[in-house]
Each structure stands twice: as C-alpha cells, then as structure tokens.
Amino acid sequence: MASQETTHSFKAEITQLLDIITNSIYTNRDIFLRELISNASDAMDKVRFLSSKGTELLAPEKELRIDVACDKDAHKITITDSGIGMNAEELVANIGTIAHSGSAAFMKEAAEGGEQADSIIGRFGVGFYSVFMVAKNVVLTTRSATPGSKTIVWESTGTGEYSITDAGDEMDRGTKIEIELKESAFEFANPERLQSIVREHSNFVSFPIYVDGEQVNTQPALWREPKFQITKEQYADFYKFLTYDSKEPQDTLHINVDAPVQFNALLFIPDSESGQMFFNDPEAYGLDLYSRRVLIDRRHRELLPQYLGFIRGVVDTEDLPLNISRETLQENLLIGKIRTTITKQILSRLEKMAKDEAEKYTTLWKNHHRVFKLGYSDFMNRDRFAGLLRFNSSVHEDAEGLCSLEEYISRMKEGQKEIYYLSGNSREAIRLNPHGEIFRRKGIEVLYLYEPTDEFIMDSLREFKECKLVCAEQADLKKLGEFADAETAESAPEALSDDDAKNFDDLLKAIKDILGERVKDVRVSERLNDSPACLVSPDGSISSQMQKMMQYMAQDSTPPVKDFEINRDHPLCRNLLKIFKGNSSDDFLQKTVEQLFESALLQEGYLSDPHALVSRMNEILEKSSDWYTEIKHL
Ligand SMILES: Nc1ncnc2c1ncn2[C@@H]1O[C@H](COP(=O)(O)OP(=O)(O)OP(=O)(O)O)[C@@H](O)[C@H]1O
C-alpha cells in the first residue's frame, strides 16, 4: 500500500543534465535500453556475489533474469530485474547525484560546448538518465535484497523534481522501471525493435534477457568462459554468429590476460580471402569492444593494427567504464596496452603456425597477405613482421612457390650478404627482366615481388638478420663478379681486338649522340647475358618500380633519364659494330639504336606511344625479310 509520498528536487547539475536530455534530438536513442539492462545486470551480479558469500538475502530462490515488456497501445515499456534493489537512502544517493562516469564526462563536454549536446548524448549514454531521451514519465519501483527492506517507488518526469513513496511489501526483491514513452519515442513500444536493440548491445549479458517472455540473448559470452570447457564447435558457432561467415575459422585465439591490463579476447582468423573486401573499405576492421559483456563499440579500430585487420573477434575488459565516449577511447592508454598485448600474441601465434604447420600458414598467407603486408609500418615488431613474410623466388618452379627470408638466407652463396629482389607484374615479366640475367648466370637467388607494397616493405625494412635487402637493379656488380659463374655460356664470344674495343667505345659515343638527352650515359654492360641492352638507374637512385610508383602518385609519365647499358658480346651489338665501322652514320644503325632504346623503355613500362616503335619494327622486318629471301635463294 502506498503511503508517505515525499517530493525532492534534483541537484542543480542533474537538472541541467536532464534539461539537455529531454530537450535534445538524438543520433542514437537505442542506448537507453543498454544502460538500463547494464544496471540490471550489475544489480544481479551483486546478488550472485553476495549469495556466493552466504549473505542472507530476500527471496534467495528468485531467478536472476531481466524482463523487458512492452504495451504498444499504452506506449509503455517495463524493465524488471531481480537484482540487489535499493533502499530509500541508496535511491536518493544513486539516482539523485551525478557521480558516475558517463554523465560526468557528458557534462564536461557539454559545458565545453565543442560539439552539439544532442549529437554527443546519443553516443555517450548517461546511465540511468538516458531513459529521459524516450520517457515522458518514469516510475521506478525497487526493493533492496537486504532482509527487512521495504518497497520504494520513485517517480519523475525528468524535470526538476522526483517523488519517493513507500510501498510496503509490494515486490519481493529487485527493480522495476516503468517507462511512459514520449510521443516521439512511441516506436520503442514494439517487441521486435526491443529485441533487436538487446541483440545489438546486450547480447552477451550473462543473465537471460526476455522481451515479452521470449529469451533474446542465447549466445554465451564465450570469451569469459574457461577455455577447457569450450569445444571446437562452440568456437566455430560463435565465429559464424559474429561474422556471418559460413566457413569455419582457420584458427582461434582465446586470450585471458590479467596484467598489465585485465582483458579477455576471443579472436579468429577467417578462412577466406580478406584482400578485396578490406581494400574496398580499409577502415572496416577492428574488434568488438565489450565492457563486462556489454557492447561499447563494434569493430573498434584502436584494438588492432591495420595489418592484422583480417582478424575478427571480441575484447572484453572490466577496466573500462561503460559510458566512455569514442573520443576518450581513442586516447585511452588501456586500449593501447590491450592492442600491444593482442598484437604480440597474434604474432606469436602466426610464428608458431608458420613453424609447426607450414601448410596452414601458407593458406593463411594466401588469404591475408595483402592486408598483412601493411605491417611494414609497425616499427615495434619489425623483425617479427619480416620473419612472417613470404615471397616467390627464382628457385621456385612457378609463381605458387613461397619462401621466407630466413629460407633465402639459408640458401645464400658463401660470402653473400645481400638478399636480392626484383619487381614486376608477373613471374614471366621478372624472368625477362635483363637485370636478372647476371643473377641467373651466377646462380644467385632473387626474390620476385609482384605487388606494389612489396617495394615499400623492402625499402622500410632495409635488412633482415644483418643481410641487406637489395633491388637486383641496384646490385653492386663488383660484388656479384666475385662469385663464380654457375651457368657456362654455350659458346663464349670471341674477345674484341684492341682496335675493335676502341671502335666499340666510339660506337657507344655514337649511340649517346643518337639518343641525346634521353639517356644519361651509354656504357658497356657487365650484367647482361641474353639481352642486347637495358636501362639502369644512375648510381644510388631508387629502383625503377619505386620510381614508377612515385611518378604514378605525382601523375607524371615522363620517362626518367637513365644510363643505357649495351651488351658488347651480344651478336646484334657485334653486328652494329661492323655497320658502324663501315659507315658511322648508317641509317640502319640509327634505326636499330632507336629500336633498342624504345624496347628497353617498353620493358620498363615507360613507352606511352608505341606507334613509332611499331612502324620502325615493321620497316626493319621488311628489310630483314628481303635479306632472308636473298640468302635463302627464295
Ligand atoms: N536496476 C538497478 N538495481 C539496483 N541499483 C541500480 C539499478 N539501476 C541503477 N542503480 C544504482 O544507481 C546507480 C546509478 O546508475 P547509473 O546508471 O546512473 O550510473 P552507473 O551505472 O553507476 O554508472 P555508469 O553508467 O557510468 O556505469 C548505480 O550505480 C546503481 O547503484
């Protein structure tokens, strides 16, 4: 029986807070339910804790559950829990002050006025007071679990005052919150809507939540369960529930950490390719962040470095207040520590997999390498990142083969201190790159890089296990010259006489005159075997692939001025020498030099207009077919 109604005024700051809450337009009103359910869950946690200690409680057998009920016609929602409840003093102290974190933070930001209050509030949550985003009137009936307590009814419209009434033994234990909705919030008196809000924000609350008698949260917060109790199927089900992926995860990491921060994490490596999806939306990664089973933020990016963005999962920490704002989260030291720990644990898992289950790691690499390669910017874990990289190389039979930098080192020639690499669009393109010829001759392995990020990786790593990473184009030819040839030339070309060596130097000068400013220098090549000529970046400059990328970014397509190297032993160049000696300004000589130069440009990807090359080639073919028919007497 109700009796002794007393009226109280809210403290000034609460009146101010309520004023903002009741008079704002919101970006996300759903969170009022999250706040009330979290309070209910906390209240029941307290009951569970006290009864485990043997404390005598009111209605000890009462089931711990949260009930959300709605009355569409009356525009009402009721949330009931069987938790610890409150006595009159607690009620005044808890609901009448602004001690809790969310509201305090909210007031601070609202006072600073940097952002519109209405846009902040939807993201913040302001504890119990959030209810006034949707409520015209709230009746909170509560009875403390302490034996001998009485039921108390608190009522307010959220404007300045609230009343408290004793209600005797009306309920047996817990709290019931009856919300009369504002007209603008009538939509919430809808069971489907309420169910979906519960699923979104409170799905893993450890007590059953019923909406109009139907349990909504059926998935346990697996990350908080002891590992040994969880089966592989449970992990897989949870993963599918989390990601909507129909396949099972490739690997699962269940992490429980107490120091330096407390958190539980359940992480999964998807068994499907992450590349394109990720690159279409590079921001769409991160782990779901929970605080005591309540969702704080979905796909929270600060919890993972981008290169591990293919990992899916959840993190739950007790140390984070529920009402923390996104802005505060970004600067949160705790989140930074969790990220560091998670990164280390994931890298350890990948290292172990690479060592013990190489085939599985290869699959992982194929699925996620495009994302993982972004890790070249993780300076803290540079060596570990480098150790996990995989490359195709000249020792493999086809483009499918993969090896680590460590494996490359194990195959290095005695005295070799560099890891060589060459970039190109395909294995075929790299194999035809004249810069690789000397490596083939010397039997030195070259890593084949097919993706633009690979060059950035090499450039930022610079070395691995004290071996320098060197682009084959920029290799020190003197060093390479010290290694014996592995391939013996089928028929060694005859050495040039002293006279012809001098003539050849003159030919080089003539080539320089023909090409003019288009080349920096023309010289005899030490690196070529099969090709007659190639372009080389002047000493110390960047690799051609990197140069191309930089030009692409700057939208500049002018061919860079490089050195032009000529293979003195190539039959074509020997013929050029003969022609040169006969007539140094022979038209055929001119045409062939132009053709060689443009072919080299084409190979480097710099020839934007092939018309001249094609017509010159046709002319040369026409001439050579004339000679051919003559020689063959056709
Ligand atoms: N259902 C409930 N049962 C028992 N006590 C409650 C209930 N709801 C609220 N309270 C009490 O009221 C206090 C204030 O709640 P409010 O939601 O405003 O903030 P909070 O939950 O303490 O803080 P925060 O939201 O930052 O975690 C709670 O700490 C709790 O003591």
Side-chain angles (χ1 to χ4, degrees):
M1 269 312 244
S3 63
Q4 277 193 7
E5 179 174 320
T6 52
T7 305
H8 306 252
S9 296
F10 284 116
K11 290 249 166 67
E13 74 262 27
I14 303 230
T15 308
Q16 199 189 340
L17 173 70
L18 286 171
D19 196 41
I20 301 170
I21 293 172
T22 45
N23 294 311
S24 294
I25 304 161
Y26 305 103
T27 46
N28 182 11
R29 290 191 294 185
D30 295 4
I31 54 147
F32 85 90
L33 193 58
R34 175 191 83 178
E35 300 296 319
L36 298 183
I37 287 178
S38 297
N39 283 348
S41 170
D42 288 349
M44 296 198 292
D45 265 336
K46 286 176 193 156
V47 165
R48 194 150 60 177
F49 175 69
L50 290 175
S51 62
S52 74
K53 282 206 322 181
T55 311
E56 201 188 326
L57 295 174
L58 211 61
E61 303 304 324
K62 199 172 161 117
E63 188 192 351
L64 294 172
R65 60 184 269 172
I66 299 166
D67 276 279
V68 180
C70 79
D71 183 336
K72 219 171 189 162
D73 300 332
H75 313 297
K76 272 188 167 177
I77 301 173
T78 307
I79 296 140
T80 314
D81 68 63
S82 48
I84 193 81
M86 286 172 272
N87 62 30
E89 292 76 51
E90 285 165 343
L91 191 55
V92 172
N94 292 338
I95 307 288
T97 63
I98 199 163
H100 59 97
S101 55
S103 305
F106 169 74
M107 289 302 285
K108 187 169 166 278
E109 273 210 27
E112 282 165 5
E115 217 182 325
Q116 287 292 306
D118 54 318
S119 81
I120 316 169
I121 202 168
R123 287 179 283 113
F124 263 68
V126 281
F128 173 77
Y129 304 109
S130 300
V131 74
F132 288 107
M133 290 196 284
V134 296
K136 183 161 82 176
N137 190 58
V138 176
V139 178
L140 181 150
T141 309
T142 183
R143 185 170 185 186
S144 165
T146 311
S149 68
K150 295 286 172 213
T151 305
I152 306 153
V153 181
W154 177 100
E155 183 165 0
S156 178
T157 56
T159 48
E161 290 183 339
Y162 61 92
S163 70
I164 289 185
T165 314
D166 290 339
D169 295 330
E170 197 183 275
M171 68 193 294
D172 43 15
R173 185 192 76 207
T175 302
K176 177 168 77 180
I177 299 170
E178 292 163 277
I179 303 163
E180 194 183 327
L181 294 167
K182 292 177 187 179
E183 198 175 337
S184 62
F186 280 178
E187 67 195 77
F188 289 100
N190 170 345
E192 281 86 41
R193 180 74 192 271
L194 295 170
Q195 275 171 4
S196 94
I197 301 174
V198 170
R199 227 170 264 127
E200 168 74 12
H201 294 285
S202 312
N203 207 25
F204 299 105
V205 165
S206 54
F207 302 99
I209 304 170
Y210 296 84
V211 172
D212 280 354
E214 199 180 313
Q215 188 175 348
V216 179
N217 60 335
T218 48
Q219 273 285 340
L222 218 55
W223 62 86
R224 309 262 300 212
E225 310 277 317
K227 284 182 213 175
F228 65 90
Q229 282 181 8
I230 308 173
T231 62
K232 199 167 170 273
E233 287 68 37
Q234 276 176 302
Y235 279 131
D237 283 351
F238 184 86
Y239 167 76
K240 289 177 186 169
F241 167 82
L242 184 81
T243 58
Y244 303 113
D245 192 349
S246 55
K247 277 172 117 182
E248 303 212 341
Q250 202 211 12
D251 205 6
T252 305
L253 275 92
H254 192 164
I255 306 172
N256 302 318
V257 173
D258 287 320
V261 275
Q262 183 285 326
F263 74 93
N264 300 299
L266 188 50
L267 310 177
F268 300 97
I269 300 174
D271 196 11
S272 18
E273 202 182 330
S274 59
Q276 207 42 52
M277 213 175 66
F278 187 85
F279 283 96
N280 287 344
D281 189 0
E283 307 282 278
Y285 71 93
L287 303 172
D288 293 346
L289 175 63
Y290 287 80
S291 167
R292 283 158 282 155
R293 296 187 173 86
V294 176
L295 183 71
I296 302 280
D297 195 15
R298 218 171 263 297
R299 309 296 302 260
H300 189 71
R301 291 207 296 272
E302 306 300 318
L303 287 167
L304 267 187
Q306 195 180 23
Y307 73 102
L308 299 178
F310 58 89
I311 305 244
R312 301 291 307 270
V314 302
V315 172
D316 189 329
T317 172
E318 307 246 337
D319 298 344
L320 208 61
L322 188 59
N323 287 324
I324 189 155
S325 77
R326 288 225 175 97
E327 289 72 15
T328 323
L329 266 181
Q330 266 168 23
E331 300 148 13
N332 196 285
L333 285 178
L334 178 87
I335 298 286
K337 281 184 192 158
I338 294 177
R339 170 192 165 115
T340 308
T341 312
I342 284 183
T343 304
K344 288 203 163 34
Q345 296 235 9
I346 294 174
L347 291 177
S348 300
R349 172 61 69 94
L350 298 185
E351 282 161 355
K352 191 164 178 337
M353 193 198 287
K355 189 163 161 275
D356 302 339
E357 299 168 279
E359 219 169 287
K360 192 169 165 184
Y361 186 72
T362 302
T363 309
L364 182 147
W365 179 259
K366 289 190 171 155
N367 279 334
H368 306 297
H369 68 277
R370 292 181 64 196
V371 179
F372 182 77
K373 282 178 179 177
L374 300 173
Y376 65 84
S377 53
D378 183 358
F379 300 113
M380 298 289 289
N381 295 297
R382 179 188 292 237
D383 289 348
R384 303 184 72 181
F385 165 77
L388 286 162
L389 291 170
R390 294 294 179 268
F391 297 95
N392 186 231
S393 108
S394 55
V395 301
H396 296 121
E397 303 229 309
D398 55 32
E400 293 298 303
L402 287 173
C403 68
S404 64
L405 293 175
E406 201 128 11
E407 284 169 277
Y408 179 104
I409 291 175
S410 73
R411 291 190 288 255
M412 279 193 336
K413 288 204 167 287
E414 209 180 317
Q416 186 186 339
K417 296 211 169 51
E418 285 85 12
I419 297 173
Y420 295 104
Y421 62 87
L422 207 45
S423 300
N425 292 336
S426 65
R427 190 171 166 89
E428 209 32 46
I430 298 178
R431 284 179 56 79
L432 291 175
N433 187 332
H435 293 277
E437 290 174 12
I438 186 167
F439 292 89
R440 249 195 316 277
R441 186 166 79 227
K442 300 285 176 188
I444 296 174
E445 182 174 355
V446 176
L447 298 177
Y448 290 175
L449 314 188
Y450 302 124
E451 285 166 13
T453 17
D454 293 336
E455 285 261 355
F456 286 109
I457 292 174
M458 296 309 200
D459 216 49
S460 73
L461 291 180
R462 292 190 181 272
E463 60 173 51
F464 179 72
K465 305 240 155 142
E466 293 175 20
C467 295
K468 278 211 163 54
L469 297 158
V470 178
C471 174
E473 289 174 25
Q474 292 160 306
D476 180 342
L477 296 178
K478 254 198 236 115
K479 271 191 199 165
L480 292 179
E482 286 165 15
F483 297 104
D485 285 2
E487 274 179 12
T488 40
E490 279 157 26
S491 58
E494 218 174 284
L496 288 178
S497 67
D498 288 352
D499 258 7
D500 273 351
K502 209 189 137 298
N503 285 331
F504 203 90
D505 289 344
D506 292 339
L507 171 64
L508 296 181
K509 279 187 204 125
I511 294 175
K512 170 69 181 128
D513 287 342
I514 294 170
L515 297 175
E517 298 298 302
R518 289 177 286 171
V519 292
K520 190 158 179 274
D521 186 24
V522 179
R523 60 167 178 257
V524 170
S525 180
E526 301 293 331
R527 72 185 83 221
L528 296 175
N529 261 20
D530 308 326
S531 306
C534 74
L535 285 163
V536 178
S537 295
D539 286 346
S541 70
I542 51 174
S543 77
S544 55
Q545 200 72 7
M546 189 66 110
Q547 186 159 36
K548 233 176 289 162
M549 256 185 290
M550 286 164 68
Q551 281 192 303
Y552 176 77
M553 285 184 230
Q555 304 212 321
D556 171 13
S557 59
T558 29
V561 177
K562 294 191 171 191
D563 295 341
F564 195 39
E565 287 194 356
I566 309 291
N567 182 354
R568 203 166 61 167
D569 294 337
H570 196 278
L572 171 56
C573 301
R574 290 287 173 101
N575 284 340
L576 287 184
L577 178 64
K578 282 185 203 159
I579 299 170
F580 177 72
K581 283 193 316 188
N583 173 11
S584 61
S585 52
D586 192 296
D587 182 52
F588 185 82
L589 179 72
Q590 304 252 346
K591 288 221 161 63
T592 313
V593 168
E594 287 285 353
Q595 195 70 10
L596 279 176
F597 175 67
E598 289 207 347
S599 301
L601 275 186
L602 184 70
Q603 235 165 359
E604 296 248 321
Y606 280 114
L607 195 72
S608 48
D609 183 3
H611 287 96
L613 178 128
V614 172
S615 92
R616 206 183 303 111
M617 185 177 69
N618 288 341
E619 203 185 317
I620 295 172
L621 282 176
E622 191 188 318
K623 274 198 183 125
S624 50
S625 62
D626 274 350
W627 296 324
Y628 189 81
T629 47
E630 230 169 83
I631 297 164
K632 293 265 180 182
H633 307 293
L634 298 170

